[in-house]
Coordinates of all heavy atoms in Angstrom, one line a residue:
A1 N 3.4 3.4 -12.6 CA 2.2 2.9 -11.8 C 2.4 3.3 -10.3 O 1.4 3.5 -9.6 CB 2.1 1.4 -11.9
L2 N 3.6 3.3 -9.8 CA 3.9 3.6 -8.4 C 5.2 4.4 -8.4 O 6.1 4.0 -9.1 CB 4.0 2.4 -7.5 CG 2.8 1.6 -7.2 CD1 3.2 0.3 -6.5 CD2 1.7 2.3 -6.4
V3 N 5.3 5.4 -7.5 CA 6.5 6.1 -7.4 C 6.7 6.6 -6.0 O 5.8 7.2 -5.4 CB 6.6 7.3 -8.4 CG1 5.4 8.3 -8.2 CG2 7.9 8.1 -8.3
D4 N 7.9 6.3 -5.4 CA 8.3 6.8 -4.1 C 7.3 6.6 -3.0 O 6.9 7.4 -2.2 CB 8.5 8.4 -4.2 CG 9.5 8.9 -3.1 OD1 10.2 8.1 -2.6 OD2 9.4 10.1 -2.8
V5 N 6.9 5.3 -2.9 CA 5.9 4.9 -1.9 C 6.7 4.3 -0.7 O 7.5 3.4 -0.8 CB 4.9 3.8 -2.4 CG1 4.0 3.3 -1.3 CG2 4.1 4.4 -3.5
T6 N 6.4 4.9 0.5 CA 7.1 4.5 1.7 C 6.1 4.2 2.8 O 5.3 5.1 3.2 CB 8.1 5.6 2.2 OG1 9.1 5.8 1.2 CG2 8.8 5.2 3.5
V7 N 6.2 3.0 3.3 CA 5.2 2.5 4.3 C 5.9 1.6 5.3 O 6.8 0.8 5.0 CB 4.0 1.7 3.6 CG1 3.1 1.1 4.7 CG2 3.3 2.5 2.6
R8 N 5.4 1.6 6.6 CA 5.8 0.7 7.6 C 4.6 0.2 8.3 O 3.8 1.0 8.8 CB 6.8 1.3 8.6 CG 7.3 0.3 9.6 CD 8.2 1.0 10.7 NE 8.6 0.1 11.7 CZ 9.7 -0.6 11.8 NH1 10.6 -0.4 10.9 NH2 10.0 -1.3 12.9
L9 N 4.4 -1.1 8.4 CA 3.3 -1.8 9.0 C 3.7 -2.8 10.0 O 4.5 -3.7 9.6 CB 2.3 -2.4 8.0 CG 1.0 -3.0 8.5 CD1 0.1 -1.9 8.9 CD2 0.4 -3.9 7.4
E10 N 3.3 -2.7 11.2 CA 3.8 -3.6 12.2 C 2.9 -4.9 12.2 O 1.8 -4.9 11.6 CB 3.7 -3.0 13.6 CG 4.5 -1.7 13.8 CD 6.0 -2.0 13.6 OE1 6.5 -3.1 13.8 OE2 6.7 -1.0 13.3
R11 N 3.4 -6.0 12.8 CA 2.6 -7.2 12.9 C 1.3 -7.0 13.6 O 1.2 -6.2 14.6 CB 3.4 -8.3 13.7 CG 4.8 -8.6 13.2 CD 4.8 -9.5 12.0 NE 6.2 -9.7 11.6 CZ 6.7 -11.0 11.4 NH1 5.9 -12.0 11.7 NH2 7.9 -11.1 11.0
G12 N 0.2 -7.6 13.1 CA -1.1 -7.4 13.6 C -1.8 -6.2 13.3 O -3.0 -6.0 13.6
Q13 N -1.2 -5.2 12.6 CA -1.8 -4.0 12.2 C -2.5 -4.1 10.8 O -2.2 -5.0 10.1 CB -0.8 -2.8 12.2 CG -0.3 -2.4 13.5 CD 0.5 -1.1 13.5 OE1 1.1 -0.8 12.5 NE2 0.5 -0.4 14.6
T14 N -3.3 -3.1 10.5 CA -4.0 -3.1 9.2 C -3.6 -1.8 8.5 O -3.7 -0.7 9.1 CB -5.5 -3.1 9.4 OG1 -5.9 -4.4 10.0 CG2 -6.3 -2.9 8.1
L15 N -3.3 -1.9 7.3 CA -3.0 -0.8 6.4 C -4.2 -0.6 5.4 O -4.5 -1.6 4.7 CB -1.7 -1.0 5.6 CG -1.4 0.0 4.5 CD1 -1.1 1.4 5.1 CD2 -0.3 -0.5 3.6
A16 N -4.9 0.5 5.4 CA -5.9 0.8 4.4 C -5.3 1.5 3.3 O -4.6 2.6 3.5 CB -7.0 1.6 5.0
V17 N -5.5 1.0 2.1 CA -4.9 1.7 0.9 C -6.1 2.3 0.1 O -7.0 1.6 -0.3 CB -4.2 0.7 0.0 CG1 -3.5 1.4 -1.2 CG2 -3.1 -0.1 0.8
L18 N -6.1 3.6 0.0 CA -7.2 4.4 -0.6 C -6.7 5.0 -1.9 O -5.6 5.4 -2.0 CB -7.7 5.4 0.4 CG -8.0 4.9 1.8 CD1 -8.3 6.1 2.7 CD2 -9.2 3.9 1.8
G19 N -7.7 5.2 -2.8 CA -7.4 5.9 -4.0 C -8.3 5.5 -5.1 O -9.0 4.5 -5.1
A20 N -8.5 6.4 -6.1 CA -9.4 6.1 -7.2 C -8.9 5.0 -8.1 O -7.7 4.5 -8.0 CB -9.6 7.4 -8.1
N21 N -9.7 4.5 -9.0 CA -9.3 3.5 -10.0 C -8.1 4.1 -10.8 O -8.0 5.2 -11.2 CB -10.4 3.2 -11.0 CG -11.6 2.5 -10.3 OD1 -11.4 1.8 -9.3 ND2 -12.8 2.7 -10.9
G22 N -7.1 3.2 -10.9 CA -5.9 3.6 -11.6 C -4.8 4.3 -10.8 O -3.8 4.7 -11.3
A23 N -5.1 4.4 -9.5 CA -4.2 5.1 -8.6 C -2.9 4.3 -8.2 O -1.9 4.8 -7.8 CB -4.9 5.5 -7.3
G24 N -3.0 2.9 -8.5 CA -1.9 2.1 -8.2 C -2.1 1.1 -7.0 O -1.2 0.4 -6.6
K25 N -3.3 1.0 -6.5 CA -3.6 0.2 -5.4 C -3.3 -1.3 -5.7 O -2.7 -2.0 -4.9 CB -5.0 0.4 -4.9 CG -5.4 1.9 -4.6 CD -6.8 2.0 -4.1 CE -7.9 1.4 -5.0 NZ -7.9 2.1 -6.3
T26 N -3.9 -1.8 -6.7 CA -3.8 -3.2 -7.0 C -2.3 -3.5 -7.4 O -1.8 -4.6 -7.1 CB -4.7 -3.6 -8.2 OG1 -6.1 -3.4 -7.7 CG2 -4.5 -5.1 -8.6
T27 N -1.6 -2.6 -8.1 CA -0.2 -2.8 -8.4 C 0.6 -2.9 -7.1 O 1.4 -3.8 -7.0 CB 0.3 -1.6 -9.2 OG1 -0.3 -1.6 -10.5 CG2 1.8 -1.8 -9.5
L28 N 0.3 -2.1 -6.2 CA 1.0 -2.2 -4.9 C 0.8 -3.5 -4.2 O 1.7 -4.2 -3.8 CB 0.5 -1.1 -3.9 CG 1.1 -1.1 -2.5 CD1 2.5 -0.7 -2.5 CD2 0.3 -0.2 -1.6
L29 N -0.5 -4.0 -4.2 CA -0.8 -5.3 -3.6 C 0.0 -6.4 -4.3 O 0.5 -7.3 -3.7 CB -2.3 -5.5 -3.7 CG -2.9 -6.3 -2.5 CD1 -2.7 -5.5 -1.2 CD2 -4.4 -6.5 -2.8
R30 N 0.1 -6.4 -5.7 CA 0.7 -7.4 -6.4 C 2.3 -7.4 -6.2 O 2.9 -8.4 -6.2 CB 0.4 -7.3 -7.9 CG -1.1 -7.7 -8.2 CD -1.5 -7.4 -9.6 NE -0.7 -8.2 -10.6 CZ -1.0 -9.5 -10.9 NH1 -2.0 -10.1 -10.3 NH2 -0.2 -10.2 -11.7

């Protein structure tokens, strides 16, 4: 569902997660 995802988000910032259905977005959130 997810492989080799690397992200850094600072306090107060917004990360937009984009991708088609089944791309892994909701899995990442969970």
Side-chain angles (χ1 to χ4, degrees):
L2 292 171
V3 59
D4 202 24
V5 175
T6 297
V7 177
R8 181 185 175 98
L9 184 71
E10 302 297 339
R11 305 280 180 125
Q13 289 189 334
T14 295
L15 170 69
V17 185
L18 308 173
N21 292 334
K25 305 185 302 298
T26 296
T27 295
L28 177 70
L29 216 61
R30 289 174 64 82

